[in-house]
Structures are given as C-alpha cells and as structure tokens.
Amino acid sequence: MAYGLGIAKGMMVTLLNLTRKPVTVQYPEQRVTQNPRFRGEDFVWYEERCTGCASCAKYCPQGIIKIVTAPSGEQTQEGETYKIETFDIEIARCMFCGLCVEACPYDALHMGTGFERAKPRRSDLVITVEELRASAKRPSTWFRPQLQNRGYDPAKGEEVPWQEAGRESTVAPTYDDMLKRWVEGR
Amino acid sequence: MDSSFDKNALFSTLNDFYLGLLPDSLSWAAFLGTGLTIVFILVNAVLMLTAFGTYMERRVLGRFQTRLGPNRVGPFGLLQPLADLLKLIMKEDLRPLMADRLTFFLAPVLMVTSMLVVVAVVPFGSDSFLADLNIGVLYLVGIPTIATVSMFLGGWGSGNRFALLGAARAVAMLISYEVPMIISLAGILILAGSMSLVDVVEAQRLPFILLQPMAFFVFLIAASAEMNRSPFDLMEAESELTAGFHTEFSGMRFGLLQLAEFGEVVVTSAILATLFLRGWENPFIPADWSQVLPPQVWLIGKILFFMLIFTWIRATLPRMRIDQVMAFAWKVLFPLAVINMFVTAALVVAWPEPTYTQLWAIAGINWVVAIGCLIGFSLALDKHRKNPTASVQLVKIPTEVA
Amino acid sequence: MALPSESITINLGPQHPSTHGVFRLRVTLDGEVIQDIEPIFGYLHRGTEKLAEERSYTQIVTLTDRLDYTSSMINNQAYVLATEKLAGLEVPERGQYLRVLTAELQRVASHLMGIGFFLQDLGAMGTPLMYCFRERERILDLFEMVCGARVTVSYMRPGGVNQDPPPEFWPGLKELLSDLPHYIDELERLINENEIVLARTKGIGVLSRELAIDSSISGPNLRASGVAWDLRKADPYDVYDRMDFDIPVGSNGDSYDRFLVRVMEIHQSLRIVEQCSKDIPDGPVRADVPYFFRPPAGDAYAHVEASKGELGFYLVSDDGIAPYRCKIRAPSFINLTALTEMLLGWKVADLMVIFGSLDVNMGEVDR
C-alpha cells in the first residue's frame, strides 16, 4: 500500500461525513425522545394504593426513603392501611435504580420521567409527601408491564388514574377466582 | 517608489484625495495618510477574517464530526469570536516572577506584527495593493522567520524550563520546514520570471496549481507546519508534557498569540491564493476575458477555500511526533522541492516563451513527474508495505465443554 | 566530553486530559526517555467491596454497575453469575440469552469508547471520537429501551434478568445490526491504514507474550500479545457455548495490535448479538428468587470476559442476606501490573499512546 493512501482514504471519510445531518439535539429547545421505560426523577405515588408497608424503604440500597405512618382508622376489616405522615425521598443520593418501584407490592410507587430536578440548595433536594401528592401522575412503564402492555407513553401527557395503575387492572379476577380466594380458601 | 505609485491606482486615488484636503506643503502628510488608510483597511480585513475564521473553523470542524458548532451566541453563533475576545480580556494577566520583562512583553507583539506585515504585499486587485515590492516573494518568506524568533523569545522569556524546551523544539521544527517552503517557491519564480507578487499573478496564464502541483503540495504541507496546525500541532498537545512556549501566557497575551496563529492561517491562505490560484483573477478563464465577479471577492473566496482545506486536514489527521515531523521535512519534502525546481528549470529552458498548448504540455509533464515522485517516495518509505492490519488475525478456538 | 545530566521527575497529575480518569503518574525522565514511573491511584476509591458487605445480594447489583462504568452490563453479569453459583440458582434460558445479548452490546459500546479516546489521545482532534460516540449513542438508546437507563443499567438480577425487553426493542436491534457494521467499516477506513496512526503506534509499547502471561494481563491486551485466550471460549458461561464467533489475536503486542484487536472484537460481538436475537426462546426471564435470599454458607468465584479483561467476583456467604465478603478481581487493576515494563525506555510522546492503548478504566482500578 503506498504511503499516503491511508491518509487519502481517511480524508474521504471525513468529507463524506460532512454531508451527513448533524446528530446534535439543541437542548433545551429540542429534547431527546425518551423511551417510556426511562427511569426518571419525578416519582409518581398513588396515595390511594399505598398501605405504608415501607417495602420501598427496605429495598432501597441507599436507604434514602423515610416513611413515618400513623394508624388511619380506616379499612379496619381487611387489615389497616396506614396514614402516611412522612414520605421523604432524598433525591440527592438517589441513583434511580428502581428497586423501590420493583419492591412495591401494591404498585403505588412508580418511576417518573424527568431528569431536571436541579435545585440551588441541598435541602430542596428532598421530595416530600406533599410534593408526591401534588405531582402529575405520569408514571414510567419501568417494571410495570400493565402500563406497558396497554401502550402507555408518559411523554404524551395523559395521566394514569390510580385505578388503572396496578397489575390487577389488567387481569381482573373472575367471580370464581374471588369465590375460591375469599370463601373457599378460609 | 514612483513606479509603484503609477501602478497602484488605489494609492493614487487616495493620495489625490488627501492632497485635495491638505495644503501643498503637507504633501508628505497626504502620503502618510494614504498609507495609513490602506494599512487600516488591510489590518481590519485580516483581523475580521481571522475572527470569522475561528468561528468558521469551529462550525466546519463540527460538521465534519456530524455535530453543530457553536450556535448560541448571537444569530447562528456569529458573535462567538466576540465572546472569546471578551473572555480573554477579562482574564488575569499573570507574569511569572522569573520571566524576563522585555521578552515576555515582546513575544506576542512580534508574532502578531509578523503576521500582519505580510499582508502588505498581497495584491487584492491588479491596481490595489499596499506595496508592490519587486522582491515580494523574498519578503514573504523572510517575514515568518520573525514569528519563529518570537516563539523562542516567548519560551525563553517565560522563565519556565519546559516552555523553553518546547520553544526550542518548535523552533527546530519551524526552521526545518522553511527550507522546503522556500525551495518550492523557486519553481514559481522560474516560471514567473519576477519576484513581485503582481507579476506572479499576471504571469499565471494557467494557474500555477496546474503547472506546479508538486510545489503546491510541498508548500501546503510546509505552510501547515509553519503555522503549527494539525497534523503538526504538537506544540499545543496536552499529551506532550512540554506544554510549549505559550504555557505562561494568559489573558490577552495568550489571546494575541492565538490571534497570531490563526491570522497566519488567513495570511498563508492569501499567499497560497496569490501564488497558486491567480490571486484576484478568475482562475477558470483567461485574464483578458471579463472576470465575472470583482477581484476582491475572488481573493476572499480563495482565502476561504484554503482555510477550509486546512480545517479539513485538521479534522482528519492525528498528530505526528517531533522526530517523525523532522524526518518528513528532510527526507520527503526537501527532495521533492528540489526535484520540482530542477524539472521546472529544465522545462523553462526547453520552452522559454510557451504558448497555451505548450503550457498545457508543461502542466501535463509536471503532473506526471509529481505523481511519479510521490509514488516513488511512498514506495521507498513504506515500511509497512504489507497489509498493516495483518498483524491481527481471527482465530477459531474450540469452545471448552464444561 | 559528556555533559553531566540528571533525571527530572514530572507529575502527570490526576487531572489530566489524557489519563482516562483520575490516574496519577510520576515519571522520571532523562531528557525525553522514561527512566521510571510510579503510578498512584485510588482517587476514585468508593469502598465498593465494603459497601457490598452491608447490602443484600440484589442490592449489590446497583453497586456493580459503577465499577467499570463503561461496561455496566458485563459487571452485572459477572456478579449475578457468582451469586447464582453461591446460591445454586437456575437461570431460565431466555434470561441467559438476554444476558449474553446485552453483554455483547455493552462490549461494543465499551470498545467504541476505548477506541475513540485512544484516537483522541493521538491528537485526532475529536473526529474519530465523535464518530464512535455517535454509534455508541444508538446502543445506549437500546439500553434505555430495555432497562430505563443508559449507563448504570442494573439490568440483571440473581436468577436472570430484570424484565423482558419491550416489543420495540427487537426492530431497533435489527436496525442497529444492519447499520452498525457499515459505520464501523467507515471508521476503520478512517483509521486503520492512516500512516500517521501507524507511525505512532506500530512497534510502540510492546508487551511480550511471556510478560503478559506472567503479569496476569487479560482481555484484549493479552490477545494482542499473541495469546489466544478468551474466557467465553475457555470457560463458557450463560449460552456462550452455543455461539459461533472468532477471537482476534495479535502477533506483535504493540499499541496498534491492541487497538486493532478491539476493533475486530466489535465485529465479532455483533455476530454474537445477531445469533442471540435469532435463537432466543420464549419463556420467563428470571427465576423465582426472593429479594432477600440467603445463600448457604460457603464461597463462590465466577469470572467473565469483560471488555477490559477477566472480571471476577469472589463471594463469601455466612448465611445472611448480605455477603460476608465480596472481592472483585478488576481487570484494569491487574492490567496495570506491567505498566512499568511497558513504558520504560520510550519517549514521553509515546506515554499517552501506550497508556491509551491499554484502555484502563479507573472505576475498576480503584473500585
């Protein structure tokens, strides 16, 4: 191979790439399209589904979820659900691994879609229960096959009501299932 | 002095204008004023082109890499050079304790000066230039040596051992690349018969890039090395420990050095355009037909074209090591330049007054010689003549069964 | 008359554009020639092995992502293999295929990054780096589809994989497999025969076969020195024994061979991905393993062919929900053993080339 031919080939490759469309995405005007399964920062929490079992707090590798509950005095027949007084998620140390979401047996906690929670003070980097209650319910479909199988995409903007967020919503128990579970099994 | 006045219509017009404004006893002031006006225009033009050139290089480099360049500051990022300038001005101007005051001050000044002074001879029209020295080409190759010296002054004046080492290395590289640069121009001088740049442009009935391909190739590479541009930019490499002569300069001193470096690109492109592509004329049609566009547009267009070529080379090639750089200069470029000079001399002796067809014949012979020499050199130098990727082979290993 | 000269010691500090991460190197130079080096690392030490003693086996997967952060999937795979060996878990076939598929994709991404930064150190002003990263972005987009995160994936779990890829993953993968070989070929055209690259890397930093074996070097560095050793063939795990692929082996052991071995491994990895995507069976992706499971007391060592070399996890269990000891055999750390011999006698300009061709990742070295 003659000396210089390699360089000539390289220059042709560069020239070819000059004609390609740039792959830059002009943030913040344009956004990269996120997959619905993206593990984002704005956790979605359904208070109606949450029982205060604190499995999420137990599973978290960092131990950043703090749950303080009090007896609520409701639903005392089937086992009480607690009233959630404190539900702090410390975003400063969270690594968005999603183990808490994997843990939740009631599908009450879901990952969100955001990544822009930078705040000027470290103390602002804690998601409190008020913020969780008020946030928009657009959960990511990560580890939530019921949301994925119905083609839900949080980027489209539609919110998911609490009745449709759980895994039982896709497989509704039949009358015989319920008989077997609640009547015959006892 | 009088002869250049007569040819220089721009100078004469401005001179008359100033003479009209001033009393007769101050005719020297009119002369001075004219000179300063043209200098003002030229310096501004070069500096504007430099600033725009830095922006253009960043955008074009980005497009080579399939990304956008800077496009946030101002519409399409056009104010980016202004932002860079403001940043450099606002930085603290440090001066090391052991630095020599005079040389530390002089080095950036000399570099910028040597870059700007070259533009004095570049003609941007058949009758508009600052000075048409009849030793124009000699002037062109003499002035960049000041840049070399100023680099060494900068390195020595920094009081930093590594800056001195880097500067010494830079000077060695630059001096060895001046030799092929100068010798490659000998072919042009032989063909043009005169050292004045206006004469060189007017003598190009066919652009010299066709008649002197090897000289163009050698000059392009040698000029890249003179400007410390990729692939010869080992002075600015982070991976080289000796950080080069500009380690201790900060703030606007550093800004001046960068300005000088990129200004050299503009000036070298102007020189290349003048010497090889017929300067201010339309390179595609003969000089006696009407040029389609005004001469200044042609010149600036060619300058931009060469700047793009330099950017293209920068985008593609990695850096060479200092010993490879020197070996390349002495073993490849120098012999090529000397061969080119001899071949051109032989052709000019054979056809002292060539007609158009003979010119095309000269061009053809030169191209054949150039390609032959390049192939010959490449085969002679090619240490990795066998397939270089043959040192790694695919091997089929049987999978162990657990 | 010989002038007396003395050596100078320079510090290539932890903050340096060309050391891949926070790596400090004190170099003793005689003029330009390197006389001695002293590598100092530990700037990225985060106490992974100690943290692993306080987290349950499933939670440690998130720690392993961050070891060699350019190849998270493979780290996950090594760790879960060790856990399964310790606890005697069976992995369903679909889970194994998915593991191999994502691990090979991750190897492609890691090698692209290694190649790109190697060329950046050579001074190529970022162009090959940008091309490599452009292709790596597509692989990271696939990872986002599968597990929701691009770099720190935490995709694998003891007993299989976290969840099944979504339906849009498979067409995306097919498109990637049809496009990527052409882009890699284009990259090879840019670099492989470039005379400047050849002049700066051929014959530089030769690692002889004997030294490589003696220093426990593994991975592409070992293969470039002429030893045909790949753990995917020598001690296959998951479904590698069903995959058909070749091993690129170099002959000179210089920087160019190390670089070229990585480029060729990308092609082989894409072959494996294609085979996986065709042969993958249906079924569950994860064995039914409780979150806080207690393996019986004992120990286990599992190793994989990571993108940098042999990555091994040695887990000791004392019948608790967290391991008693988790020792990580990091390939980059062991690959640095021969750094002194490789660098002695070369010039300063070659230092970065040799170090870049080794492709170490400080996340692994320091853990």
Side-chain angles (χ1 to χ4, degrees):
Chain A
M1 193 71 61
Y3 195 89
L5 211 60
I7 294 185
K9 270 204 257 182
M11 307 267 287
M12 288 302 127
V13 168
T14 328
L15 200 61
L16 170 69
N17 271 289
L18 189 61
T19 56
R20 288 208 180 115
K21 196 168 162 304
V23 296
T24 318
V25 171
Q26 292 273 77
Y27 185 82
E29 288 90 17
Q30 304 165 357
R31 300 290 170 101
V32 178
T33 41
Q34 277 177 10
N35 194 276
R37 228 187 241 203
F38 183 71
R39 302 202 295 248
E41 295 193 2
D42 315 314
F43 287 94
V44 171
W45 180 62
Y46 293 104
E47 190 169 11
E48 299 86 356
R49 305 185 69 94
C50 180
T51 61
C53 69
S55 293
C56 49
K58 208 180 317 183
Y59 275 38
C60 176
Q62 312 279 63
I64 57 179
I65 301 185
K66 174 176 162 189
I67 298 186
V68 174
T69 55
S72 69
E74 306 164 10
Q75 299 184 12
T76 45
Q77 190 173 33
E78 200 28 56
E80 192 161 6
T81 63
Y82 293 102
K83 187 171 66 164
I84 316 288
E85 288 179 356
T86 311
F87 193 152
D88 284 344
I89 305 181
E90 211 183 316
I91 293 289
R93 281 197 299 139
C94 177
M95 52 180 172
F96 311 105
C97 60
L99 287 177
C100 52
V101 170
E102 217 176 302
C104 183
Y106 305 103
D107 290 347
L109 187 64
H110 305 257
M111 299 297 303
T113 54
F115 51 91
E116 293 157 304
R117 290 194 74 95
K119 298 276 195 292
R121 282 184 307 215
R122 217 177 261 272
S123 50
D124 292 341
L125 283 175
V126 175
I127 302 185
T128 57
V129 69
E130 302 305 328
E131 200 178 326
L132 279 174
R133 281 185 185 128
S135 66
K137 307 285 186 238
R138 287 195 280 268
S140 151
T141 63
W142 190 79
F143 212 72
R144 295 286 176 250
Q146 67 275 15
L147 290 177
Q148 182 188 300
N149 290 342
R150 62 169 226 210
Y152 175 66
D153 186 359
K156 297 257 169 51
E158 172 203 325
E159 294 201 10
V160 177
W162 71 266
Q163 294 89 342
E164 300 173 26
R167 64 196 81 163
E168 75 281 356
S169 62
T170 50
V171 181
T174 63
Y175 184 69
D176 291 318
D177 292 332
M178 290 205 280
L179 263 184
K180 211 185 312 195
R181 184 177 171 194
W182 299 117
V183 173
E184 292 154 24
R186 297 202 169 203
Chain B
M1 194 173 83
D2 292 328
S3 58
S4 73
F5 264 14
D6 302 336
K7 275 206 284 180
N8 197 342
L10 177 68
F11 204 94
S12 321
T13 351
L14 279 174
N15 207 5
D16 293 336
F17 171 69
Y18 278 114
L19 278 175
L21 289 179
L22 296 166
D24 275 335
S25 56
L26 291 176
S27 59
W28 58 269
F31 182 72
L32 186 64
T34 323
L36 285 178
T37 315
I38 303 186
V39 165
F40 181 76
I41 298 174
L42 274 178
V43 167
N44 268 318
V46 168
L47 291 179
M48 285 292 141
L49 264 178
T50 309
F52 177 70
T54 51
Y55 165 74
M56 187 183 79
E57 163 157 347
R58 286 168 73 171
R59 289 298 292 254
V60 171
L61 209 58
R63 290 308 297 265
F64 273 117
Q65 299 168 358
T66 58
R67 61 179 174 91
L68 300 169
N71 63 352
R72 287 278 169 188
V73 192
F76 295 107
L78 281 168
L79 295 180
Q80 183 71 37
L82 188 65
D84 291 337
L85 174 72
L86 283 176
K87 178 198 81 162
L88 284 171
I89 288 181
M90 291 196 289
K91 284 208 166 157
E92 181 184 357
D93 183 23
L94 296 169
R95 193 177 66 82
L97 198 62
M98 304 296 289
D100 190 63
R101 292 200 75 141
L102 186 62
T103 47
F104 199 71
F105 167 75
L106 268 185
V109 169
L110 275 180
M111 274 200 82
V112 175
T113 313
S114 74
M115 176 264 289
L116 286 175
V117 149
V118 175
V119 173
V121 285
V122 172
F124 44 95
S126 68
D127 53 0
S128 45
F129 40 81
L130 178 58
D132 180 31
L133 297 177
N134 51 3
I135 48 162
V137 175
L138 187 62
Y139 178 88
L140 277 182
V141 300
I143 296 297
T145 320
I146 300 183
T148 312
V149 168
S150 75
M151 260 187 231
F152 192 73
L153 278 181
W156 185 83
S158 298
N160 182 346
R161 176 194 321 163
F162 298 119
L164 181 60
L165 283 177
R169 213 190 287 179
V171 165
M173 182 179 93
L174 293 177
I175 294 179
S176 21
Y177 271 93
E178 275 179 21
V179 175
M181 195 163 92
I182 297 171
I183 299 184
S184 65
L185 292 183
I188 301 201
L189 293 180
I190 295 174
L191 277 178
S194 147
M195 280 210 253
S196 146
L197 279 178
V198 175
D199 288 342
V200 165
V201 172
E202 285 175 350
Q204 293 183 46
R205 282 185 287 157
L206 279 184
F208 279 158
I209 193 174
L210 288 177
L211 290 176
Q212 296 272 288
M214 204 140 70
F216 173 69
F217 175 72
V218 170
F219 189 81
L220 192 71
I221 298 183
S224 286
E226 287 289 319
M227 301 188 288
N228 277 343
R229 268 186 84 86
S230 250
F232 306 101
D233 62 345
L234 40 91
M235 289 305 117
E236 309 161 356
E238 309 103 18
S239 51
E240 312 281 327
L241 282 184
T242 53
F245 69 99
H246 56 65
T247 330
E248 300 286 349
F249 293 92
S250 70
M252 205 50 207
R253 280 188 223 272
F254 182 69
L256 276 179
L257 288 176
Q258 294 294 85
L259 182 79
E261 184 189 319
F262 208 79
E264 276 187 50
V265 176
V266 173
V267 164
T268 308
S269 308
I271 296 173
L272 272 167
T274 312
L275 292 176
F276 289 99
L277 273 188
R278 292 174 77 187
W280 68 81
E281 294 172 1
N282 188 337
F284 304 114
I285 56 181
D288 19 340
W289 299 5
S290 85
Q291 320 284 307
V292 176
L293 297 167
Q296 288 80 4
V297 171
W298 278 116
L299 187 63
I300 298 209
K302 288 169 197 173
I303 292 179
L304 288 176
F305 170 69
F306 277 114
M307 277 161 64
L308 284 173
I309 301 262
F310 283 126
T311 307
W312 183 24
I313 299 178
R314 180 181 186 198
T316 316
L317 299 176
R319 229 172 255 143
M320 295 171 77
R321 226 173 37 193
I322 181 73
D323 52 330
Q324 294 161 356
V325 161
M326 305 290 262
F328 188 66
W330 290 108
K331 291 192 204 162
V332 178
L333 290 184
F334 177 66
L336 280 178
V338 168
I339 292 176
N340 174 58
M341 184 170 73
F342 279 126
V343 167
T344 314
L347 286 172
V348 166
V349 162
W351 290 310
E353 293 287 327
T355 64
Y356 253 112
T357 31
Q358 285 172 337
L359 268 183
W360 280 105
I362 293 181
I365 294 178
N366 262 316
W367 272 92
V368 165
V369 169
I371 294 179
C373 276
L374 280 177
I375 294 183
F377 267 90
S378 63
L379 290 176
L381 283 176
D382 196 16
K383 283 182 291 206
H384 316 289
R385 195 175 310 180
K386 286 195 302 280
N387 198 351
T389 56
S391 58
V392 175
Q393 297 290 334
L394 283 176
V395 168
K396 281 198 181 308
I397 312 181
T399 313
E400 300 288 327
V401 180
Chain C
M1 179 179 74
L3 290 172
S5 64
E6 50 176 59
S7 330
I8 49 175
T9 308
I10 301 181
N11 181 43
L12 268 177
Q15 291 165 323
H16 189 93
S18 303
T19 59
H20 302 250
V22 277
F23 184 65
R24 185 169 159 207
L25 201 56
R26 296 186 64 196
V27 186
T28 309
L29 296 174
D30 176 22
E32 278 248 338
V33 178
I34 299 177
Q35 302 283 52
D36 190 19
I37 63 160
E38 184 192 339
I40 302 169
F41 38 81
Y43 289 92
L44 199 52
H45 180 67
R46 296 153 291 177
T48 307
E49 297 179 357
K50 176 66 186 166
L51 285 174
E53 292 171 17
E54 292 162 16
R55 279 157 173 68
S56 75
Y57 288 92
T58 319
Q59 288 168 337
I60 297 177
V61 176
T62 57
L63 282 178
T64 58
D65 277 340
R66 286 140 171 98
L67 283 175
D68 174 6
Y69 38 81
T70 57
S71 69
S72 315
M73 290 281 190
I74 306 182
N75 301 343
N76 284 356
Q77 191 182 25
Y79 169 71
V80 297
L81 281 172
T83 321
E84 284 150 17
K85 216 168 177 179
L86 187 63
L89 299 172
E90 281 279 331
V91 183
E93 264 207 51
R94 190 176 168 89
Q96 292 187 9
Y97 270 93
L98 279 172
R99 274 195 205 166
V100 169
L101 201 156
T102 46
E104 289 305 312
L105 275 179
Q106 181 75 73
R107 190 188 308 271
V108 174
S110 172
H111 279 325
L112 277 174
M113 195 155 149
I115 295 169
F117 278 110
F118 174 65
L119 291 164
Q120 169 79 0
D121 287 343
L122 274 180
M125 215 43 87
T127 313
L129 179 66
M130 288 294 134
Y131 297 161
C132 290
F133 265 66
R134 191 184 60 199
E135 306 315 315
R136 183 173 176 254
E137 280 295 306
R138 302 179 61 183
I139 299 181
L140 294 184
D141 283 341
L142 279 180
F143 283 165
E144 188 188 339
M145 259 189 240
V146 163
C147 65
R150 285 149 48 99
V151 179
T152 54
V153 288
S154 304
Y155 182 46
M156 307 192 187
R157 299 278 187 270
V161 175
N162 190 16
Q163 44 180 328
D164 211 17
E168 63 257 23
F169 176 73
W170 302 105
L173 182 66
K174 205 160 164 196
E175 200 186 317
L176 182 83
L177 285 174
S178 64
D179 276 343
L180 197 54
H182 301 296
Y183 284 113
I184 306 287
D185 282 336
E186 193 182 285
L187 195 67
E188 288 189 57
R189 257 186 297 146
L190 178 62
I191 300 298
N192 271 4
E193 289 164 15
N194 193 327
E195 281 75 17
I196 301 181
V197 171
L198 288 173
R200 281 202 71 178
T201 55
K202 272 271 186 194
I204 306 286
V206 174
L207 180 67
S208 69
R209 222 190 116 103
E210 294 72 29
L211 183 64
I213 300 179
D214 284 343
S215 313
S216 317
I217 309 262
S218 53
N221 300 327
L222 180 67
R223 290 194 276 280
S225 296
V227 182
W229 175 259
D230 188 329
L231 278 176
R232 295 173 287 173
K233 295 277 196 191
D235 187 10
Y237 47 93
D238 282 342
V239 286
Y240 277 109
D241 41 3
R242 301 183 214 174
M243 297 291 143
D244 177 33
F245 60 102
D246 302 323
I247 312 288
V249 175
S251 47
N252 296 336
D254 55 11
S255 303
Y256 184 72
D257 279 355
R258 286 192 280 273
F259 154 74
L260 198 60
V261 161
R262 291 195 171 93
V263 174
M264 293 169 84
E265 274 191 12
I266 294 182
H267 284 294
Q268 299 304 313
S269 293
L270 289 174
R271 266 177 80 180
I272 302 180
V273 171
E274 195 162 346
Q275 289 167 43
C276 276
S277 67
K278 284 207 193 81
D279 300 337
I280 186 166
D282 288 324
V285 295
R286 188 179 178 191
D288 197 13
V289 176
Y291 189 86
F292 294 109
F293 63 95
R294 291 167 188 265
D299 56 8
Y301 177 75
H303 54 185
V304 301
E305 180 74 23
S307 53
K308 313 274 190 296
E310 172 183 337
L311 172 65
F313 275 83
Y314 177 63
L315 288 171
V316 178
S317 155
D318 61 348
D319 200 34
I321 57 170
Y324 175 72
R325 171 82 170 107
C326 166
K327 158 89 181 111
I328 304 170
R329 186 235 187 252
S332 302
F333 183 59
I334 310 287
N335 284 354
L336 286 179
T337 312
L339 190 64
T340 313
E341 282 87 4
M342 276 170 70
L343 282 180
L344 282 185
W346 293 104
K347 301 213 176 62
V348 167
D350 303 318
L351 194 153
M352 281 308 151
V353 173
I354 301 174
F355 190 67
S357 73
L358 271 183
D359 197 13
V360 293
N361 184 293
M362 295 318 286
E364 261 183 341
V365 173
D366 294 336
R367 271 158 283 144

